Amino acid sequence: MKTLIKNGLVVDPANLVQTHLNLLLEDGKIVAVTEEEPEADRVIDAAGKVVAPGFIDIHMHEDPVKDDKIQFCIFDAMLRMGVTTAVGGNCGINVYDPVKYLDLLERDGAPVNVMMFAGHQYYREAAGALDKYSPVTEEQRKMMKKGLEEALEAGCVGISYGLRYVPGTGREEFLDTASCCQKEHRLISAHVRDDEERVFGAVAEVAEAGKIFDIPVEISHIGSMAGFGQMEQLLKQVDGYRMNGMDITCDCYPYFAFSTRIGATTYDDGWLERYHCDYDACQLMEGKYKGQRCTPETFAEMRRDFPECLTVCYVMDQKDIRMAFSDPGVMLGSDGLIDNGQGHPRAAGSFPKFFADFVRDGSISLYDGIAKMTSIPAKRLGLADKGRLNVGADADVVVFDPEKIRDGATFDDPMLPPFGIDYVLIGGEIAAKDCRIVKGDLGTAIRKRS
Ligand SMILES: [Zn+2]
């Protein structure tokens, strides 16, 4: 089946292209990019629309597995917002053995293509270290390294850390596990150990591993780490590393509120002073107080009785988030996390919201915005045939209306689909049309091979 996408504005930063051209797709690949109108079985008229490589979400959290099947929900949301490749297993967390997860994706297909990080915390717990505040034994560390090495061998893209969530992780444990990435030059991504004024030292800790082992480093969701007045200094710090030879980049999601579980260390004593807020900055997204802002009493009760309860905390500085996105070294990553259909709207809204709030108001150009979700993450992940639209590239394409694209998801209803995305194609097939899924199994596992 040949598909022609004609008359659209092709924006392809990987190839330094922004111009009107026609794309011909066949057998999963882009087979022609031309001013002609070649014969095709199906024609998509993209007049007035933007034609971009399928978006790549470098930071999200995968759907759970039940009865040997992935319970697709967040990956559906990814597809509806134009994402064709998503990276799970972030912040040190896997919902399931990531190697088996890749197998399930391959066996059953998925709404989008998926890469996986091997999560440090997952392998820590698998080694029997269940106390997040305590260090691991030498025996446990060996087990963790063995598991992580096997995961990298099986095609996980790298190792993720959520040092904030596992305070017992000492320097030796961190560096020793990170060393697993050295052999194949794999990526480490880190939700760093601390935020606000202590973010600088926390980023330095992770950068040290990049320097020692000469491996690439990704600093996760910097808006929720340094979005409290520290952004300018943090970006300078990271620029400094890069100018001194380190391969380091950051990602950020386009919201001014973060989301985590109420039992997380984020809410350990001192959080009110740290984020300069009161209890009502925290909204409960699940359970009997669903939708309500916390009081000192409900906060204490839920932290004790329902520590898994997802919350949203409205504490970030808009200026800092804008500053992050204006930096060329910062990509868009949704950090999407959904539990039983509940959570933060970033899972279903990040990409369209970015166009609506940051591109349409002129603060970031269309070209630079698309680069943050195509060419830059593709390069970061070593994806040679994705995040680009040249002849020979994978036919993962998104067609959207630059004037109409916007998020639909809200804090009250975080799974609502977006608007203004006409087509999402994976491997040349139509996966979503008008923000509704047409075919939800066109994606597969992408295994990292050295
Ligand atoms: Zn995180």
Side-chain angles (χ1 to χ4, degrees):
M1 161 97 105
K2 286 186 188 180
T3 301
L4 177 69
I5 305 176
K6 65 174 190 178
N7 302 328
L9 177 66
V10 174
V11 182
D12 181 16
N15 287 299
L16 312 177
V17 163
Q18 178 167 330
T19 191
H20 284 86
L21 284 167
N22 302 331
L23 303 184
L24 187 67
L25 322 177
E26 188 180 15
D27 294 333
K29 295 283 180 184
I30 295 170
V31 295
V33 183
T34 173
E35 290 180 69
E36 315 294 313
E37 274 194 32
E39 283 291 306
D41 308 297
R42 172 168 59 200
V43 178
I44 293 173
D45 190 348
K49 309 290 165 75
V50 168
V51 179
F55 304 146
I56 298 172
D57 188 351
I58 193 165
H59 187 111
M60 53 80 70
H61 296 275
E62 70 275 15
D63 283 315
V65 175
K66 205 177 148 207
D67 301 330
D68 193 40
K69 281 229 180 299
I70 300 171
Q71 308 294 301
F72 293 117
C73 168
I74 193 165
F75 286 123
D76 290 339
M78 293 274 130
L79 174 56
R80 286 192 290 263
M81 68 172 165
V83 171
T84 54
T85 299
V87 187
N90 274 285
C91 300
I93 303 161
N94 295 106
V95 297
Y96 194 69
D97 180 327
V99 177
K100 292 187 184 146
Y101 205 88
L102 290 170
D103 292 341
L104 291 180
L105 290 160
E106 240 162 34
R107 188 192 68 188
D108 298 338
V112 298
N113 294 305
V114 180
M115 298 183 96
M116 290 297 291
F117 275 108
H120 161 260
Q121 188 180 356
Y122 176 84
Y123 283 91
R124 196 179 204 264
E125 289 174 1
L130 299 179
D131 182 353
K132 60 192 176 187
Y133 294 97
S134 297
V136 292
T137 64
E138 211 181 311
E139 201 50 43
Q140 286 167 336
R141 208 172 65 213
K142 278 190 193 142
M143 269 183 77
M144 290 166 70
K145 284 183 75 177
K146 187 165 173 286
L148 288 165
E149 276 162 7
E150 284 168 7
L152 295 176
E153 191 106 330
C156 284
V157 63
I159 298 175
S160 77
Y161 291 88
L163 297 170
R164 183 81 169 92
Y165 299 127
V166 196
T169 308
R171 180 170 180 269
E172 198 182 356
E173 177 187 337
F174 169 61
L175 289 177
D176 200 24
T177 49
S179 75
C180 298
C181 287
Q182 189 171 24
K183 195 169 103 202
E184 306 284 1
H185 200 64
R186 294 290 172 82
L187 181 62
I188 58 170
S189 90
H191 178 157
V192 297
R193 193 181 291 275
D194 221 329
D195 54 17
E196 216 246 349
E197 285 302 319
R198 282 174 282 195
V199 71
F200 309 113
V203 168
E205 176 186 31
V206 176
E208 189 190 10
K211 186 162 186 209
I212 295 175
F213 304 119
D214 190 25
I215 49 176
V217 173
E218 177 74 15
I219 305 297
S220 302
H221 45 60
I222 55 170
S224 62
M225 307 312 296
F228 320 99
Q230 298 75 34
M231 192 58 74
E232 187 174 4
Q233 194 53 41
L234 177 77
L235 294 170
K236 256 195 225 307
Q237 181 182 353
V238 173
D239 285 347
Y241 294 134
R242 210 178 294 127
M243 293 303 271
N244 282 280
M246 196 184 295
D247 182 5
I248 182 167
T249 49
C250 307
D251 55 76
C252 187
Y253 53 84
Y255 290 82
F256 312 127
F258 70 73
S259 173
T260 192
R261 298 182 196 286
I262 199 163
T265 51
T266 313
Y267 289 118
D268 283 355
D269 280 352
W271 71 278
L272 297 175
E273 295 74 33
R274 173 182 294 232
Y275 302 129
H276 317 289
C277 66
D278 209 334
Y279 286 97
D280 65 0
C282 174
Q283 184 181 18
L284 298 162
M285 305 310 281
E286 298 177 280
K288 63 178 176 181
Y289 302 117
K290 187 179 164 208
Q292 293 184 23
R293 299 294 187 117
C294 282
T295 63
E297 294 75 31
T298 57
F299 178 82
E301 179 190 336
M302 293 299 275
R303 203 161 141 85
R304 184 187 63 230
D305 296 344
F306 186 13
E308 296 300 305
C309 177
L310 278 176
T311 66
V312 170
C313 197
Y314 300 84
V315 287
M316 279 121 79
D317 182 344
Q318 291 204 27
K319 215 172 80 234
D320 272 3
I321 308 300
R322 290 191 174 276
M323 194 187 297
F325 282 126
S326 68
D327 188 289
V330 178
M331 284 168 258
L332 181 69
S334 73
D335 196 16
L337 172 64
I338 290 290
D339 251 8
N340 303 315
Q342 293 305 319
H344 190 301
R346 66 195 184 201
S350 282
F351 287 75
K353 184 178 173 65
F354 181 81
F355 288 103
D357 292 3
F358 296 88
V359 173
R360 205 140 58 225
D361 80 350
S363 45
I364 294 163
S365 73
L366 182 68
Y367 182 90
D368 288 344
I370 290 176
K372 288 179 184 300
M373 49 185 92
T374 60
S375 54
I376 302 174
K379 186 164 177 234
R380 196 82 196 109
L381 298 163
L383 294 169
D385 298 328
K386 296 198 183 292
R388 55 201 307 133
L389 293 175
N390 50 277
V391 171
D394 291 345
D396 297 350
V397 186
V398 53
V399 178
F400 65 89
D401 187 326
E403 298 305 320
K404 292 195 179 137
I405 187 171
R406 69 175 173 89
D407 52 312
T410 63
F411 285 99
D412 290 330
D413 202 341
M415 290 301 286
L416 288 175
F419 301 92
I421 304 172
D422 301 81
Y423 290 94
V424 186
L425 294 99
I426 294 181
E429 293 297 312
I430 295 175
K433 185 171 186 303
D434 298 326
C435 303
R436 287 186 204 291
I437 294 173
V438 176
K439 202 161 177 354
D441 62 355
L442 294 169
T444 187
I446 301 178
R447 292 178 196 265
K448 181 81 181 163
R449 300 289 180 210
S450 356

